[in-house]
Amino acid sequence: MIPVILCGGTGSRLWPLSREAYPKQFLPLAGSETMLQATALRLDGLAQLQAPILVCNEEHRFAAAEQLQEIGRAAQSILLEPCARNTAPAIALAALAALEGGEDPLLLVLPADHAVADVAAFRAAVTRAADLAAQGNLVTFGIVPTRAETGYGYIRRGEQLEEGSWKVAQFVEKPDAVTAESYLASGDYSWNSGMFLFRASRYIEELGHHRADILDACRNAYAGAARDLDFTRMDADAFAACADESVDYAVMENTESAAVVPMDAGWSDVGSWSALWELAERDGDDNLLHGDVLAEDSEGCLVRADNRLVGLLGVRDLVVVDTDDAVLIADKQRVQEVKKLVQRLKHSE
Ligand code: GDD
Ligand code: MG
């Protein structure tokens, strides 16, 4: 089994800590390790595991390599994307690299920016999924939904395959709010965790079947790649010609071979400041305070003061993030919209 760690996202909802130069997967957001390091360490104890393949933007190659080195790990290869084309192409590149050795390994696809509280439960779910994946299924990991989140994929269970695993009857990526509400109320759906397990060849087959254009562009980009030590840099023109699409839309919504294994592992995708606040341990006033912070009669706040003292007085449910060159002050209920600020910033550059 080869872990494929996807670390090419931008994490713009965690601005101003998460930046283009250092997106959230390279930051220690939910503990002392960075999210990439935590992702790599979580694998310890899984059977028959090879060194991971990392897929990231070429700008982040040194951060990615150094962060693994810091924890005594090394990737078997680091695949570099000259531009972001989302997860369907990123996984295709990893599958092409994995198949080069002449074998057809299982790929455990892992976003580099998730938190998992119960690592043993994570490993148990992966272990349960391995047989199904070896048989040709594209295995997803289902999370019990707790709200009508529109930023996730939803999975409806079909017939049972083995104990603790089901065929996927329906996969719907990022439904609108009304649909998400009805899925939640029905009780028939789980969230897609964004982790997958399948044979490299099966992903290539399914991608070729449903999005031959993406597979062709990835084959071209990989064939023209330049190699330098552990780094494999895709051909820039060929990769730029690839469609921008996620694995969820390109493959998971369309394949007939998807299976789901439940994962009850304290999973969070740490997608926003409020998600971080929810999953962390807070003080008696429900505040999550990091750095030099004085809080008086204030509740439910998240503060990161990396540079100087921050004082709170008589406020509720605020997010305050102080960095070298930017300060965010936001209503904790509205932090999904932080990316609006980032978009405005980009347009004004
Ligand atoms: N290498 C690479 N290149 N990685 C990428 C790229 C890219 O162009 N785009 C995103 N990634 C990485 C991100 O860093 C993240 O680790 C992972 O791929 C998933 O991408 P997101 O952009 O975070 O996806 P999402 O959160 O909107 O949706 C996915 O995850 C949800 C759970 O968190 C989907 O799989 C949903 O169905 C799922 O519910
Ligand atoms: Mg995500």
Side-chain angles (χ1 to χ4, degrees):
M1 190 185 296
I2 304 179
V4 171
I5 305 183
L6 301 174
C7 33
T10 53
S12 59
R13 281 174 297 171
L14 290 172
W15 182 86
L17 209 58
S18 182
R19 295 293 179 94
E20 262 177 33
Y22 257 84
K24 68 170 172 171
Q25 56 271 29
F26 301 116
L27 298 170
L29 278 178
S32 52
E33 290 110 15
T34 70
M35 305 209 72
L36 168 61
Q37 289 172 328
T39 306
L41 291 171
R42 194 175 300 141
L43 298 164
D44 284 355
L46 276 172
Q48 296 183 332
L49 206 68
Q50 299 183 36
I53 296 176
L54 258 61
V55 194
C56 67
N57 191 279
E58 64 182 6
E59 278 184 31
H60 299 137
R61 62 191 182 282
F62 296 123
E66 278 165 21
Q67 291 197 355
L68 286 188
Q69 209 175 19
E70 269 172 30
I71 54 165
R73 306 299 146 105
Q76 59 175 278
S77 58
I78 302 183
L79 308 181
L80 304 179
E81 299 162 314
C83 57
R85 284 293 178 265
N86 216 321
T87 51
I91 299 168
L93 299 176
L96 293 171
L99 287 166
E100 256 187 354
E103 288 178 12
D104 185 9
L106 295 182
L107 303 182
L108 174 61
V109 176
L110 299 170
D113 54 358
H114 289 176
V116 174
D118 184 348
V119 177
F122 158 80
R123 287 196 290 253
V126 172
T127 305
R128 188 163 331 123
D131 273 350
L132 289 171
Q135 291 157 18
N137 294 292
L138 279 64
V139 185
T140 61
F141 297 93
I143 311 284
V144 175
T146 51
R147 57 178 192 276
E149 168 69 55
T150 55
Y152 294 162
Y154 285 73
I155 295 167
R156 185 161 59 81
R157 281 182 188 180
E159 69 181 88
Q160 186 155 12
L161 290 171
E162 290 169 9
E163 201 185 321
S165 65
W166 288 263
K167 256 194 108 50
V168 171
Q170 190 190 15
F171 185 107
V172 181
E173 179 65 5
K174 298 189 179 24
D176 62 30
V178 175
T179 312
E181 211 48 83
S182 73
Y183 289 170
L184 183 70
S186 79
D188 296 338
Y189 290 79
S190 47
W191 282 336
N192 174 37
S193 72
M195 309 179 217
F196 303 97
L197 186 69
F198 38 63
R199 279 201 188 279
S201 65
R202 287 292 296 125
Y203 181 73
I204 294 292
E205 278 167 18
E206 291 293 315
L207 183 64
H209 188 57
H210 298 291
R211 288 300 299 264
D213 60 313
I214 294 181
L215 180 58
D216 286 349
C218 289
R219 281 197 198 282
N220 290 339
Y222 193 76
R227 285 156 205 255
D228 177 20
L229 302 171
D230 300 335
F231 298 119
T232 304
R233 181 180 180 280
M234 300 310 133
D235 181 84
D237 290 339
F239 197 64
C242 185
D244 182 318
E245 192 62 284
S246 76
V247 58
D248 318 284
Y249 288 117
V251 176
M252 299 317 300
E253 281 200 334
N254 300 312
T255 181
E256 308 262 305
S257 306
V260 56
V261 168
M263 186 186 280
D264 182 9
W267 170 91
S268 165
D269 87 332
V270 201
S272 64
W273 287 115
S274 58
L276 194 63
W277 177 86
E278 263 164 41
L279 82 105
E281 231 169 85
R282 303 179 292 268
D283 66 18
D285 293 322
D286 237 3
N287 292 318
L288 177 59
L289 308 177
H290 183 279
D292 212 358
V293 188
L294 273 178
E296 187 66 35
D297 188 25
S298 296
E299 282 172 17
C301 297
L302 179 154
V303 183
R304 282 189 81 113
D306 291 341
N307 298 303
R308 62 201 136 187
L309 176 67
V310 170
L312 295 185
L313 177 63
V315 291
R316 307 264 173 285
D317 301 327
L318 274 191
V319 170
V320 179
V321 182
D322 177 56
T323 66
D324 276 344
D325 58 349
V327 181
L328 170 73
I329 300 172
D331 179 342
K332 196 165 88 250
Q333 313 304 326
R334 295 189 55 183
V335 287
Q336 298 294 339
E337 298 167 58
V338 166
K339 60 175 152 197
K340 283 187 187 166
L341 293 177
V342 178
Q343 273 153 12
R344 279 181 62 178
L345 204 68
K346 269 194 193 148
H347 291 141
S348 65
E349 269 169 7

